[in-house]
Every structure is written in C-alpha cells, then in structure tokens.
Amino acid sequence: MGDPKGFLKYRRQATAYRPVCERVKDYSPVFARRSNKESQEQASRCMDCGTPFCHWGCPIGNYIPEWNDLVFTGQWRNAFELLDQTNNFPEITARICPAQCEYACVLGINDDPVTIRENELAIVERAFEMGFIRLHLLHTRTGKKVAIIGSGPTGLSCASQLNKVGHEVTVFERDDKVGGLLRYGIPDFKLEKWVVDRRVNILTDEGIKFRTGVNVGDDYSASKLLRNFNAICLAGGSRVPRDLNIEGRELKGIYFAMDYLVQANKRVAGETIPHNKLIDASGKKVLVIGGGDTGSDCVGTANRQNASCVVQIELLPKPPECRTDEYPWPSYPMLLKTSTSHEEGAVERKWSVLTKKFIGENGNIKKVLCAEVEFLKIDSKACSEMREVPGSEFEIEADLVILAIGFTQPEKKGLITELELRLDDRGNIKTDNFFMTSKKGIFAAGDMRRGQSLVVWAVSDGRRAAHYIDSYLMGSTCLPDV
Ligand SMILES: Cc1cc2nc3c(=O)[nH]c(=O)nc-3n(C[C@H](O)[C@H](O)[C@H](O)COP(=O)(O)OP(=O)(O)OC[C@H]3O[C@@H](n4cnc5c(N)ncnc54)[C@H](O)[C@@H]3O)c2cc1C
Ligand code: SF4
C-alpha cells in the first residue's frame, strides 16, 4: 500500500466533462482525460482494505488494489501488465463501463469511492503512449481451427484468448466493419471508433482473421462451418427489439432505437444515408420511449442533431437517488442515472408513464397519448401490480418517436434455426456450465447466451468461453476461467 493516508489527503476527483455548450456541437468524447499526476493522487486514495470488494464487483476480476498501488508509485508498465492479465480491452471498459467495482469499493461505505474506472483508463492509455503494448506473436500453432460468429466484445475477447494459445481463429461478421455494438450501437461521444480500430489492428497483427460482410447461416451455411472448423463460438448478440404494439404503431416516424443509432453512427463515420431512409432529429420534437442507457444514447444523439425538443418517458417509477435497503453495499444498486446526455440540452424526463396510443396526421406521427401509472404492492414479497391512475391521461407532441424499450432475444432465423439449438426460457441460447450449446463443439457466449447486458460481461463471457473451448480442443487449458 503506497500512501496509508491518501484517502484522507485527497477528495475523489469527479470526472471532468467538456462544457455542454461545446460538446453538443460534436461527437468527440464528452469527458476530458486527467493528468498522470492527478491519476496518481486518485490511486493513492485506495486503502488496500484487505478484502477488496471492488475486485469482486468487477465481472472480470480486475486486480484493482494492486494496480492502484502501482499507479501511485509510478510503476505504469507493471500496472498495465497486471491489467492485461484480466482484461483484453481495458481502453474500452475504462470509457464505457458503469463501474460496478466502484459501488463495491470499501471506501464508498462512508466516503466517495476510488475513481477506479478512470484509473484503468490512465493505465491503458499510458501503456499505448509509452509503447508497453506488445503483440502476442506465436511461432507454433495447434492446427485447430475455431470460428467465432460475431465481432462484438464477446467475439473479440474470445478470439483474442484462443489466438494466444495458438488456435487458428476466424471471426465472421455480417456488418461491413468489426466491433458489434461497440461500433454501431454506442455513440462516438461515449466511445470514439478509432479506439475500436486501434484494438482490431492489434488483433489482426496477432494473426486473427476477420471476414466481414458474411452473414453466417445465410451467406455461409452452418453445415459448411461444421465441416471447416474444429469448434465454433456463437457470439452474435441479442438484437431483437421489444416492440410496442399499440394503436397507431404503423404511423411513419416511429423507429427502433438501433435503427436510429446505427444510422447515426454510420453518418458520423462519414457514410451517406439515402434520403428516403434517413432518420434525423433535426428540428423535430423527439420522444424517446424507454428510460435506460439505450434511450439515453438516443437523447444525446438527438440533441447533437439539433432536435427542437426531447422528451424521455419510462414506464417504471423513478428510481431512488441513494442506496435503499433493497440494495445494500456492496451490491450494484438500481439508482437514478443522470447520464451526460441528460445534462445536455432540454431533455424532459418522466417516469411512471404508460404509452397508450400513437396519434397521427396524414400517416405521420403527431402526438402520443399517455397516462400516469402507479405500482401497488400485492403481496409481502416484492411483487406489485401496475394500475393506470384514473383521469391522468395526457398527450405529448412528437414527430419522431424512438422505441428504446429493450431487446428480447437473439435472432432465430438463420444460424440458430439451422443448427436446431436448444434455447432457455427467455429465448437465449442455452449452454451447459462449460458454455457448450446443445450441439457438441458449438459454444455460445455474451448477449446471445445471457441476453442484452454490458460490455464488461461480454468480455467476461468471451474469455470464459475461450477457456472451455481450449479445454475441449486440447484436453486441458492454461487460459483463465474469468
Ligand atoms: C445503444 C446501446 C448502448 C450501449 N451502451 C453500453 C455502455 O455504455 N456500456 C456497456 O457496458 N454496455 C453498453 N451496451 C451493451 C453492450 O454494448 C452489449 O452488452 C455488448 O456489446 C454485447 O456484446 P456481444 O459481442 O455479445 O454482442 P454485439 O455487440 O451485439 O455483437 C454481436 C455481433 O454479431 C454479429 N452477428 C450476429 N449474427 C451474425 C451472423 N449470423 N453472422 C455474422 N455476424 C453476426 C452482429 O452483426 C454483431 O456485430 C449498450 C448497448 C446498446 C444497444
Ligand atoms: S471493467 Fe468495469 S467493473 Fe471492472 S474495474 Fe473496470 S470499470 Fe470497474
């Protein structure tokens, strides 16, 4: 432990964000990186508490107290090497992870937690700057071929791990570029795409083959896959959007969040969208239905496109701002999240709102009929029943409605159907404890297995799947099961 009194000397330094008036005019990152000296001061706040719950809170088990100590003492290379042992893409999690670790920080019991996520960013970006990042190059290969379907964080972490132990890895991706939701879901103002490209270039240089523009199950049959590869990992994500099948749903101007965000990301990357397919918020009254992170990304994007106003509604009640008895420390609490997108521009947020009807004019969406709801406890357990508050109906004017109400399951058409894979109760691919599906040699990981989740869980799943795939192919493995 570097400085036993660090947490007494320094307050938590809040993330520095660029001024709102500046950042809403562009898609550059909303945050400003802090100096190495500031990171060292912040790392010195880590108490080395003995039982590091932060390590438990992090889904990939990052060695947080250890690298905080190394940062404090200026041992940046060692800090990076430790981080590299557990996280294939720290430069990505360090930008967009909700930092479950920080909610489990022991200092957080009676003070502000250590800025773990930003310390992670400082370590990895310093490693890139100083040339600490080495290519894992191999002279011998095992001769085993593995196909990975999907190039999101799950597929990429699985590929990275399997390549390290000498398998010949091919990643198939149906989009024109690699990255999954990192590229086409998450907006640039949260994660710039050069960060993804920089990592993909490293993976390519290390020997991983990428085949983009190939929709497996359509352009490349599952039977061919089975013939050509010794093992397969399905990492195709969970993208079937939840719909709102109420009166007026057929009106023009109502879109799924991913249709909107994919297009917005492509435009930021310089692609031109044909006019008749363009979804643009410029000058429009935008209503985002769904109060989660995807909805928040739509709010930030709509404000950057100069929407005339943005309203975001959510069916569930407003979450608490501080921990409640339901979510005691060190659990990850369901708290009210005010994202950087919410702080920009005039977004009005409403909770406990039911969407009842889309109302149009000449076939276009004009307004939305809503009502307030309340949740009444119906038993001693946490079960409650939703009831519409009588006489509470109201209308919201909107000429662009974005549905951001979640994703139900992976797409079944194509690969899953052709392989006749067993599914779990929620419609995700069912695997055993070793990540193997109901078909021998075919594994599944990430959102496709666990449902829409987080990047850090995708990385965890990809790494774990690689552990079991290597065991399956070689009889034993040196890859970690995290
Ligand atoms: C808008 C949005 C914002 C988000 N923001 C955050 C955030 O800030 N922080 C965070 O931690 N998480 C965030 N998430 C969640 C996170 O992005 C996902 O949990 C994560 O990307 C899942 O990784 P994955 O690799 O399993 O799937 P995906 O990232 O969905 O990648 C799956 C890939 O498989 C490809 N594919 C599918 N089927 C085939 C096929 N048959 N052939 C070839 N390719 C195929 C798809 O094209 C896709 O590229 C966000 C999600 C969304 C939707
Ligand atoms: S990956 Fe996420 S949970 Fe893990 S240390 Fe980084 S910010 Fe924390």
Side-chain angles (χ1 to χ4, degrees):
M1 177 180 175
D3 186 353
K5 292 194 179 163
F7 67 99
L8 297 173
K9 280 193 219 158
Y10 301 106
R11 304 294 315 148
R12 177 183 164 107
Q13 182 180 330
T15 307
Y17 292 107
R18 293 164 56 218
V20 168
C21 59
E22 179 190 305
R23 69 186 200 230
V24 286
K25 294 195 192 119
D26 62 43
Y27 289 85
S28 299
V30 289
F31 66 91
R33 267 185 61 203
R34 62 188 187 199
S35 69
N36 291 333
K37 183 170 171 289
E38 287 168 323
S39 294
Q40 288 183 278
E41 281 171 8
Q42 290 300 304
S44 80
R45 295 186 71 239
C46 179
M47 304 186 297
D48 197 11
C49 50
T51 306
F53 281 87
C54 54
H55 169 77
W56 164 86
C58 171
I60 42 181
N62 273 343
Y63 299 121
I64 298 162
E66 288 80 0
W67 43 251
N68 272 333
D69 186 35
L70 291 166
V71 168
F72 169 65
T73 52
Q75 300 180 63
W76 293 92
R77 184 191 285 271
N78 292 344
F80 170 70
E81 274 167 15
L82 206 53
L83 179 56
D84 189 47
Q85 282 179 27
T86 52
N87 192 351
N88 301 73
F89 314 126
E91 70 280 16
I92 294 173
T93 50
R95 284 176 164 86
I96 56 170
C97 187
Q100 302 186 13
C101 54
E102 293 186 19
Y103 291 93
C105 172
V106 171
L107 187 55
I109 297 174
N110 63 351
D111 198 342
D112 292 328
V114 175
T115 57
I116 300 169
R117 185 185 58 77
E118 276 186 271
N119 295 357
E120 188 177 19
L121 184 63
I123 296 169
V124 64
E125 286 306 327
R126 174 103 172 154
F128 274 109
E129 281 154 21
M130 300 298 290
F132 300 156
I133 314 253
R134 289 176 291 111
L135 293 186
H136 294 274
L137 294 175
L138 296 166
H139 300 296
T140 50
R141 292 270 169 189
T142 60
K144 305 281 185 195
K145 293 183 175 174
V146 184
I148 294 181
I149 319 305
S151 70
T154 305
L156 294 181
S157 53
C158 188
S160 167
Q161 292 295 89
L162 290 171
N163 186 58
K164 279 182 199 165
V165 288
H167 302 307
E168 234 177 83
V169 183
T170 306
V171 179
F172 291 87
E173 171 54 59
R174 67 177 166 203
D175 282 339
D176 55 347
K177 286 191 182 137
V178 170
L181 287 171
L182 300 178
R183 185 176 300 277
Y184 287 129
I186 301 173
D188 281 55
F189 55 84
K190 277 168 62 183
L191 179 66
E192 284 181 294
K193 304 315 162 207
W194 65 262
V195 178
V196 181
D197 291 335
R198 180 175 65 177
R199 180 56 69 174
V200 173
N201 289 341
I202 292 174
L203 298 177
T204 309
D205 290 345
E206 287 178 338
I208 296 170
K209 294 193 190 88
F210 289 99
R211 292 192 56 183
T212 52
V214 182
N215 189 358
V216 179
D218 191 357
D219 309 324
Y220 193 110
S221 71
S223 51
K224 193 169 165 190
L225 208 60
L226 289 166
R227 270 200 312 278
N228 291 347
F229 293 90
N230 302 97
I232 297 161
C233 181
L234 305 179
S238 173
R239 296 272 189 95
V240 177
R242 185 167 288 117
D243 207 346
L244 198 53
N245 289 314
I246 54 173
E247 194 181 331
R249 175 64 183 88
E250 73 293 344
L251 290 165
K252 281 195 204 124
I254 306 173
Y255 300 96
F256 289 118
M258 278 304 289
D259 294 337
Y260 177 58
L261 291 173
V262 169
Q263 216 184 75
N265 281 8
K266 289 190 170 183
R267 289 171 73 193
V268 174
E271 285 185 44
T272 309
I273 309 293
H275 193 68
N276 60 347
K277 294 206 173 133
L278 190 66
I279 312 170
D280 193 294
S282 173
K284 297 210 173 113
K285 293 173 189 153
V286 179
L287 173 65
V288 177
I289 302 181
D293 293 342
T294 302
S296 151
D297 288 347
C298 295
V299 168
T301 304
N303 273 326
R304 278 165 183 73
Q305 291 178 348
N306 288 320
S308 75
C309 69
V310 185
V311 179
Q312 186 179 22
I313 58 173
E314 165 60 47
L315 180 65
L316 295 172
K318 186 175 179 180
E321 290 181 28
C322 305
R323 276 190 195 277
T324 57
D325 291 346
E326 244 179 297
Y327 299 104
W329 179 92
S331 64
Y332 184 59
M334 298 297 285
L335 295 180
L336 174 69
K337 275 196 201 158
T338 299
S339 71
T340 53
S341 295
H342 293 130
E343 289 161 355
E344 300 162 351
V347 56
E348 195 185 337
R349 300 166 79 189
K350 294 172 190 280
W351 288 265
S352 304
V353 174
L354 175 71
T355 312
K356 295 185 73 175
K357 186 162 87 166
F358 296 116
I359 302 165
E361 205 177 273
N362 303 324
N364 296 312
I365 181 74
K366 202 71 197 145
K367 51 193 178 181
V368 181
L369 178 68
C370 302
E372 285 170 26
V373 288
E374 57 189 356
F375 292 83
L376 305 171
K377 273 225 152 107
I378 51 171
D379 59 25
S380 56
K381 294 180 198 143
C383 295
S384 56
E385 192 179 79
M386 186 184 83
R387 286 195 204 150
E388 187 177 327
V389 177
S392 68
E393 282 187 352
F394 63 99
E395 289 175 347
I396 301 176
E397 286 189 25
D399 31 25
L400 173 61
V401 172
I402 301 172
L403 302 177
I405 47 178
F407 301 86
T408 54
Q409 52 193 250
E411 287 161 34
K412 304 292 161 2
K413 195 171 158 273
L415 203 52
I416 295 181
T417 310
E418 198 187 333
L419 289 168
E420 296 176 338
L421 297 178
R422 210 171 291 155
L423 304 174
D424 68 15
D425 296 344
R426 295 186 303 147
N428 300 318
I429 297 182
K430 192 176 167 76
T431 63
D432 61 16
N433 291 339
F434 311 103
F435 283 64
M436 201 183 300
T437 66
S438 49
K439 286 272 158 66
K440 193 166 176 241
I442 303 181
F443 296 76
D447 283 4
M448 211 168 201
R449 185 184 82 90
R450 57 168 59 239
Q452 184 72 225
S453 180
L454 291 170
V455 170
V456 67
W457 279 112
V459 174
S460 160
D461 250 34
R463 290 171 65 87
R464 297 192 65 201
H467 167 92
Y468 291 114
I469 292 170
D470 190 36
S471 280
Y472 167 77
L473 292 173
M474 308 304 287
S476 65
T477 181
C478 59
L479 290 175
D481 181 15
V482 280

